[in-house]
Amino acid sequence: MKTVELKAPYLIFTGSESRPTYAKTGAGLVEWRRELCLGHLRLPGGTLDLGLPDMTVAEAKAAGIRSLVIGTALVGGRIPDDWLDILEEAVLLGLDIVAGVHSRLADIERLAKAAAKSGASLIDVRVPPPVLPVGTGKKRSGKRLLTVGTDCAVGKKYTALQLEKDMRRAGLKADFRASGQTGIMIAGQGLPIDAVISDFVSGAAELLSPDNDADHWDVIEGQGGIFHPGYSAVTMGLLVGSQPDAFVVCHEAGRTHIEGWEDFPLPTIEAVIERTILIGQLTNPNITCAGVSVNTSSLSADERGKYLADLSERLGLPCVDALKTGTDAIVARLEKLKVGA
């Protein structure tokens, strides 16, 4: 797996982004590594509030910040030209730049020259290992749970992290396996599945979750969405290579269409369960759905309770909001089902 060592504390940079869906890297770091995030840098038009004090690059340097982390995940994963002045300034002041986009920082001449002058590092998280195998489909020891989604940015990473936390608290052996740039930044290691050449995606997923003890759970962060018109390919490759014994469907209450692809209605949770089982059975005939995790941040507490109760009754599965209610109900189902035994 790819290992990254980021110099803390961080300045989270979100450019002029105003859509929370596209700032999930910054939001994820603040949610799970809040103690390492000291400041937020926005360009004009950027209305996102990460709950951090606004800082300029110079103020961040004076405050002891050591890394500027690009906190957005733009469609296509590139670095816009209007960011370069800010990034170059940060590098010249000695701040490392950390990016999880598809553009390579070192390939940007201005940044490479600035880094050579200041000694700062340009850290690309979204770069897979140079040699990866083709998937074998062979059964591996240990147990695996994969989070899947009705869409992108619906809580797959957060759910996986909370599941790891709750499973360990329940006395289970469990490890979070990061498959995306933000998860890798949070965990310090992982494998950026969506940057892997398509022939090797399932093989990379096998490496991400290798053989383990029979009672050990790998909790694998999902990517994309199985019904997503742009990103379903990586979702299916990760699903086949992960060979999950169980999966949890992640969803956002109130979302009706694929984010950014407004001509595509959101699939039902039932449809996601059905298709995930159909494809997942290729490498694990016993794959099962363990529950549903819903981002209910748009609902009041009373609305949340009724929404989750109604959904659970409809599906016959435990339905939770991973951050608001925890995932104990799903963990209990996993133990009761003896999944992977």
Side-chain angles (χ1 to χ4, degrees):
M1 289 190 287
K2 181 182 182 72
T3 300
V4 296
E5 294 184 10
L6 310 184
K7 295 176 184 175
Y10 310 144
L11 174 68
I12 308 298
F13 175 68
T14 57
S16 57
E17 187 58 68
S18 59
R19 300 162 296 178
T21 300
Y22 292 101
K24 58 184 182 180
T25 296
L29 284 171
V30 172
E31 179 69 40
W32 296 97
R33 295 293 182 265
R34 176 63 178 82
E35 71 281 4
L36 303 180
C37 303
L38 292 191
H40 185 192
L41 174 56
R42 296 178 275 187
L43 295 178
T47 58
L48 288 172
D49 183 2
L50 297 179
L52 299 171
D54 286 303
M55 290 186 183
T56 65
V57 171
E59 289 169 341
K61 177 68 176 178
I65 285 175
R66 303 175 70 194
S67 298
L68 181 152
V69 179
I70 294 176
T72 62
L74 301 174
V75 174
R78 63 178 184 84
I79 293 178
D81 291 340
D82 63 357
W83 290 5
L84 294 182
D85 287 345
I86 289 284
L87 299 183
E88 183 180 33
E89 179 188 358
V91 174
L92 288 172
L93 285 175
L95 273 65
D96 288 354
I97 304 295
V98 182
V101 297
H102 287 302
S103 300
R104 304 289 177 89
L105 292 169
D107 291 340
I108 301 173
E109 186 175 2
R110 289 176 60 182
L111 300 184
K113 287 182 176 179
K117 183 175 181 179
S118 70
S121 297
L122 304 176
I123 302 172
D124 289 301
V125 176
R126 212 170 185 171
V127 179
V131 179
L132 290 168
V134 174
T136 67
K138 293 181 180 179
K139 179 67 175 175
R140 306 189 296 285
S141 58
K143 303 178 182 182
R144 286 160 192 86
L145 183 147
L146 176 68
T147 54
V148 302
T150 54
D151 192 4
C152 297
V154 290
K156 296 184 289 292
K157 172 174 61 269
Y158 285 21
T159 297
L161 285 162
Q162 188 65 43
L163 276 165
E164 177 201 44
K165 180 179 178 180
D166 293 341
M167 291 169 81
R168 288 183 173 184
R169 184 166 47 78
L172 302 178
K173 299 177 184 177
D175 285 299
F176 170 72
R177 301 299 186 188
S179 64
Q181 67 274 14
T182 311
I184 294 171
M185 292 180 195
I186 293 169
Q189 64 176 6
L191 212 158
I193 290 291
D194 67 357
V196 173
I197 294 172
S198 58
D199 275 357
F200 307 109
V201 170
S202 60
E206 292 179 3
L207 289 183
L208 182 65
S209 175
D211 285 310
N212 214 314
D213 295 340
D215 60 347
H216 178 275
W217 282 96
D218 273 344
V219 184
I220 304 166
E221 173 194 8
Q223 292 295 318
I226 207 164
F227 283 86
H228 199 290
Y231 302 134
S232 57
V234 69
T235 307
M236 288 187 269
L238 180 58
L239 170 59
V240 170
S242 295
Q243 302 173 9
D245 300 287
F247 64 93
V248 172
V249 178
C250 301
H251 177 65
E252 181 181 27
R255 191 179 298 193
T256 60
H257 289 73
I258 300 293
E259 185 75 17
W261 279 260
E262 301 304 331
D263 291 335
F264 288 82
L266 208 67
T268 64
I269 294 172
E270 289 90 339
V272 172
I273 293 172
E274 180 181 5
R275 187 166 295 186
T276 300
I277 291 174
L278 179 64
I279 296 172
Q281 284 177 331
L282 174 66
T283 52
N284 189 341
N286 298 317
I287 183 174
T288 187
C289 183
V292 178
S293 175
V294 184
N295 177 350
T296 62
S297 58
S298 63
L299 306 179
S300 68
D302 289 343
E303 290 171 331
R304 177 184 307 118
K306 184 177 188 308
Y307 181 100
L308 294 174
D310 289 349
L311 186 62
S312 181
E313 182 177 0
R314 186 180 106 200
L315 299 174
L317 292 167
C319 297
V320 304
D321 180 318
L323 293 188
K324 302 290 186 181
T325 70
T327 62
D328 288 348
I330 294 176
V331 175
R333 179 174 172 82
L334 291 174
E335 294 181 292
K336 182 178 179 180
L337 291 174
K338 302 296 182 183
V339 173

